[in-house]
Amino acid sequence: MAAPVSVLHERVLTWFDAHRRVLPWRDGRTDAWGVLVSEIMLQQTPVVRVEPVWRAWMERWPTPAALAAETPGEVVRAWGRLGYPRRALRLREAAVAVVREHDGRVPDTEEALRGLPGVGSYTAAAVAAFAHGRRTVVVDTNVRRVLARAVQGRAHAAPALTAADTRLATATVPADVATSVRWNVAVMELGAVVCRARGPRCPECPLLDVCAWVAAGSPPDDGPPRRGQAWHGTDRQVRGALVQVLRETSRSVPRDDLVGRALEAAGLDPARHREQADRCLAGLVEDGLVEPVRGGRFRLPA
DNA sequence: GAGTCGTGGTG
DNA sequence: TCACCAAGACT
């Protein structure tokens, strides 16, 4: 790599001390439960949308035991429009597991954390580091992008996490425990605020003069075209619309009303998408996001 | 490993 | 405008 790792550390850590955002789950008073909740909510969802929901969530369910005692439906409703509502179900299941298997306390090892529903390699490393001060290798999309640019000289990281990404990230984590924790949060922050996917703010970057991508003239992406996520008319749109209808009422809804209102909200032709909507509804029931009740009606699960 | 799973902001 | 993207996990 172009610059010694120690230079990366010094530059990024100094930058972080001066430019870190103030976030409620990082205020030093938030316990491991609050950190876990934030990490689950932040999976594929921007900070600005998570913040208000996290605050309300922590006020309502300040402990794993509190959430574990709640119904799935209420949890999905409180999840609001953060997206991927199965995360809400898994967070509740994780709370149940914490109560039953960990004496109500969020585990402090990556292995135990990984055993919780909805907690993968990233979230386990993040919670172990940020909530428990452990030395872990945190590899999220921000870390991968910063390293791809600064070290590898590429415009973008690979579409998905690769073994090479993990190897590179591992090699850059400081040996000292306390420093490793700061590095992990700092490099993520740099990726989120400065080394952004679109419109990177290179003039503000502490790595500007050591960045391999900048040194190469900031070449555009050389890889295959990045395929966007289709949306209009997809199952995801229909599923989202179905759940949203149920989120807005505390009562059960007849199938025809539910499907009709969802397709209308989605701007989809009822005749053309009826079959798809029925299939999506069955999938939602399968996933535990929707509960059928007598009389061909549906509601969020009690 | 490739697909699937929400939602809304934005360059 | 509209394709792209956001602190991924799971199958």
Side-chain angles (χ1 to χ4, degrees):
Chain A
M1 54 186 74
V5 183
S6 59
V7 172
L8 299 184
H9 295 163
E10 184 190 333
R11 298 288 189 84
V12 173
L13 291 172
T14 300
W15 172 86
F16 182 66
D17 288 341
H19 299 283
R20 60 182 298 171
R21 291 172 294 180
V22 176
L23 300 174
W25 47 86
R26 280 187 191 161
D27 64 358
R29 295 174 294 137
T30 304
D31 64 5
W33 169 240
V35 173
L36 175 61
V37 171
S38 77
E39 292 298 343
I40 299 288
M41 289 183 172
L42 287 164
Q43 292 168 359
Q44 301 285 282
T45 303
V47 165
V48 288
R49 242 183 300 161
V50 164
E51 206 172 322
V53 179
W54 182 89
R55 291 181 189 281
W57 193 281
M58 293 306 294
E59 186 156 335
R60 185 169 180 185
W61 299 300
T63 65
L67 185 65
E70 188 55 85
T71 65
E74 269 311 295
V75 171
V76 169
R77 185 171 284 114
W79 192 256
R81 303 192 63 97
L82 290 180
Y84 294 142
R86 288 190 294 189
R87 289 184 294 163
L89 295 180
R90 295 193 188 117
L91 179 54
R92 178 179 168 281
E93 292 162 10
V96 170
V98 165
V99 169
R100 290 219 272 247
E101 301 165 22
H102 301 282
D103 202 21
R105 290 187 288 271
V106 174
D108 63 353
T109 69
E110 291 183 89
E111 184 182 1
L113 285 161
R114 282 275 334 229
L116 301 175
V119 177
S121 60
Y122 160 75
T123 303
V127 173
F130 306 145
H132 298 295
R134 296 254 183 182
R135 182 182 181 280
T136 66
V137 180
V138 175
V139 192
D140 78 325
T141 187
N142 292 302
V143 174
R144 295 197 300 119
R145 184 174 52 254
V146 170
L147 296 180
R149 286 177 179 159
V151 177
Q152 300 180 311
R154 292 162 33 198
H156 296 288
L161 177 64
T162 65
D165 291 337
T166 302
R167 254 184 280 114
L168 178 55
T170 301
T172 62
V173 173
D176 175 70
V177 176
T179 310
S180 76
V181 173
R182 293 175 55 224
W183 164 260
N184 279 327
V185 63
V187 67
M188 282 177 62
E189 187 82 344
L190 185 68
V193 175
V194 174
C195 193
R196 306 185 301 179
R198 287 179 299 176
R201 301 176 171 177
C202 297
E204 302 173 25
C205 185
L207 300 179
L208 178 62
D209 65 321
V210 296
C211 178
W213 183 54
V214 169
S218 304
D221 191 14
D222 57 348
R226 311 156 76 71
R227 35 183 324 125
Q229 308 157 333
W231 178 245
H232 187 75
T234 61
D235 284 3
R236 292 160 83 176
Q237 184 191 18
V238 173
R239 284 169 57 104
L242 287 166
V243 172
Q244 179 57 17
V245 169
L246 295 180
R247 253 198 301 261
E248 287 170 342
T249 174
S250 55
R251 311 189 320 115
S252 65
V253 180
R255 176 190 294 267
D256 288 343
D257 285 6
L258 174 55
V259 168
R261 287 157 63 183
L263 290 178
E264 158 129 37
L268 297 171
D269 181 355
R272 197 167 252 145
H273 291 273
R274 170 73 201 225
E275 198 172 315
Q276 178 190 21
D278 282 339
R279 183 166 44 72
C280 286
L281 183 55
L284 289 167
V285 171
E286 185 75 17
D287 290 343
L289 282 165
V290 173
E291 183 174 71
V293 293
R294 47 157 186 77
R297 303 170 70 95
F298 297 85
R299 67 180 181 191
L300 294 184

